[in-house]
Amino acid sequence: MAEPYADALLAGVAATMPAVGLEEVPELMSRVDCKYIVTASTMARLAAELGDRFLALRIEGRRQFRYTSTYFDTPGLLTYHQHRQDRRRRFKLRTRTYLDGGGQWLELKLSGARGSTDKHRIPYDGVPSHTLTNQALEFVHDTLLSELRLIAPETLEPVLATDYKRVTLIDRSGTARLTCDTGLVCRDGQRSSPARGDLVLLESKSVDGKALIDKVLRGLGVRPVTVSKYCLAVAALRELPANRWHPVLQRYFVHRPGPRRPAARGHSSRSSHGASAGSWSGPSAES
C-alpha cells in the first residue's frame, strides 16, 4: 500500500489540533535539537499518540507554512566540513523567509558544548535573501567572537537554498515544540534535488533534549538522526562525501542530481562582504 502524501497528512493533523498563536509561544533560542525522519504512516501514529497534549501553531488562519532559506558558506565550504567532522564549536548562517507571513530574518545558529544549539537572529526584511549587508557581517563577526571565540571567515557567499512546508506543534507546557517539514527541495541555481514526498523531517526542540515527543518516538521504534538540511543539500547537489549521513541521504532524497551545468559566461563567486552576492542565480521560491 502506498504511503499517503506527507504534506497533505500534516495539514490534516494540524487541522485537528487546538490552535495557538505565535504571540503565545515562548521562544526556544537556546535548546537541544533531536531530528528524525519518519514515514507518513508513522507520523499519523505519532499524532494519535500525542492526542491533545500538543497545539498547532496558527498564524493568520494558516497552520502549514512555506519556508525558504538561503545558506552562506566560505568558498571551501568551511561550515559544511566542520559539521561533517563534528567540530564542537561550529556555526551555520542563513537567511530565512517566511513566505506565508513572518517576514525575513538573518539567522546564525551556533553549536557548542553538550550538543546545545543557540540561535541568534536579526530582522532582514527588504534585503535580497542572497545578500549579506555590512550590518549583517558585523552581526556575524560580533556574535561568533562573543559566543564561540571564533573569528568570522573573510569571505561568505550564498551556496544553496532550501524550500519546504512546515507544521509546528507546541507542547502545552511551553518547554518543547516539534517542527514537521515536508516537500523539501534543495537548489543552487544550476541543479535541484527533491526529498521524497512520503517522508517527514521532524525536529524536536526542547530545553534538555528529553521532551515527551522524544519518548513517544522511541516507543514507536524511531531513532534520532544527526543531519542538517544544509549538509544534506551540499552532499546531494555537489556529490561530496557524506560519511555518516550517507544512509539518510540515500533514503531521504528521490535521486542524486545529474551533472552540473556549466556556469554562464561572466559568472563569478564574489565575496559577500558589504555587497550583494548577485552572481548567485538561484531561482526564487516565489516564482
Side-chain angles (χ1 to χ4, degrees), residues 85-101:
Q85 296 161 6
D86 200 23
R87 294 288 183 89
R88 188 174 64 87
R89 293 185 303 158
R90 61 180 187 265
F91 69 94
K92 186 163 50 184
L93 180 64
R94 69 189 177 206
T95 55
R96 170 164 286 178
T97 306
Y98 298 81
L99 299 177
D100 297 311

Side-chain angles (χ1 to χ4, degrees), residues 13 17 49-50 70 74-75 79 82 85 114 116 118 143 178 199 201 208 216 219 227 257 264 267 270:
V13 167
M17 289 187 169
E49 289 281 344
L50 295 179
T70 298
T74 68
T79 70
Q82 286 184 337
Q85 296 161 6
R114 299 179 298 279
S116 63
D118 293 322
T143 305
L178 180 71
L199 296 180
L201 175 60
D208 57 5
V216 174
V227 296
H267 179 89
R270 292 181 291 147

Side-chain angles (χ1 to χ4, degrees), residues 177-284:
R177 70 184 64 173
L178 180 71
T179 59
C180 314
D181 296 343
T182 55
L184 173 67
V185 177
C186 308
R187 53 188 171 83
D188 63 5
Q190 299 180 63
R191 299 188 297 180
S192 66
S193 183
R196 284 172 46 184
D198 61 326
L199 296 180
V200 185
L201 175 60
L202 303 178
E203 295 187 41
S204 170
K205 310 169 192 288
S206 62
V207 174
D208 57 5
K210 300 177 181 178
L212 167 66
I213 192 70
D214 300 295
K215 297 177 183 177
V216 174
L217 284 164
R218 283 198 299 272
L220 293 174
V222 180
R223 296 294 178 263
V225 293
T226 305
V227 296
S228 79
K229 290 188 189 72
Y230 172 62
C231 292
L232 285 178
V234 169
L237 293 171
R238 302 200 177 193
E239 300 183 353
L240 294 179
N243 294 30
R244 56 198 169 99
W245 304 326
H246 185 73
V248 175
L249 191 66
Q250 291 296 103
R251 178 189 179 207
Y252 190 36
F253 284 92
V254 175
H255 58 79
R256 300 293 287 272
R260 179 183 296 268
R261 295 196 304 269
R265 181 173 296 178
H267 179 89
S268 63
S269 297
R270 292 181 291 147
S271 168
S272 305
H273 278 234
S276 167
S279 58
W280 189 75
S281 56
S284 168

Side-chain angles (χ1 to χ4, degrees), residues 48-76:
E49 289 281 344
L50 295 179
D52 61 356
R53 290 175 287 187
F54 276 69
L55 310 171
L57 178 65
R58 180 175 62 191
I59 303 174
E60 298 180 355
R62 293 179 178 268
R63 302 190 186 203
Q64 189 174 49
F65 311 96
R66 295 172 301 149
Y67 285 45
T68 185
S69 300
T70 298
Y71 290 88
F72 297 83
D73 208 335
T74 68

